[in-house]
Amino acid sequence: MQEPCGVTVLLSGRIDSTALVAFYLSRGIVVRGIHFDYGQPCFVGEQRAVQRIASHYKTPITTINLGLSITSDNRVNASKT
């Protein structure tokens, strides 16, 4: 018997990634979500939406902090760690 394959979906919290989660689950495919924190100003709202999507579909998610921040003049700064 073949083991079930799975996919990892990049979750943005918007309709496109949500539709992909629903699509794969409807076909019996195991779905994992991944979400990146790259210092975007809308991260808190995105994270809230991603959590709701994951909760609704009972899908595990991983959030990865890239250690970046975006300044008011849209420059990206890397954290010094």
Side-chain angles (χ1 to χ4, degrees), residues 10-79:
L10 176 61
L11 293 173
S12 65
R14 297 186 183 97
I15 192 68
D16 53 346
S17 58
T18 304
L20 277 175
V21 171
F23 172 81
Y24 287 122
L25 289 174
S26 74
R27 282 151 178 78
I29 298 171
V30 176
V31 176
R32 293 170 304 282
I34 189 167
H35 183 236
F36 290 101
D37 176 1
Y38 53 91
Q40 65 272 40
C42 59
F43 174 75
V44 172
E46 281 183 13
Q47 182 68 11
R48 190 176 320 123
V50 165
Q51 291 287 346
R52 287 181 179 164
I53 293 163
S55 176
H56 177 78
Y57 289 107
K58 297 173 180 57
T59 302
I61 61 166
T62 300
T63 299
I64 298 174
N65 185 325
L66 298 178
L68 303 173
S69 64
I70 300 175
T71 63
S72 60
D73 59 357
N74 291 326
R75 291 190 304 175
V76 177
N77 295 321
S79 297

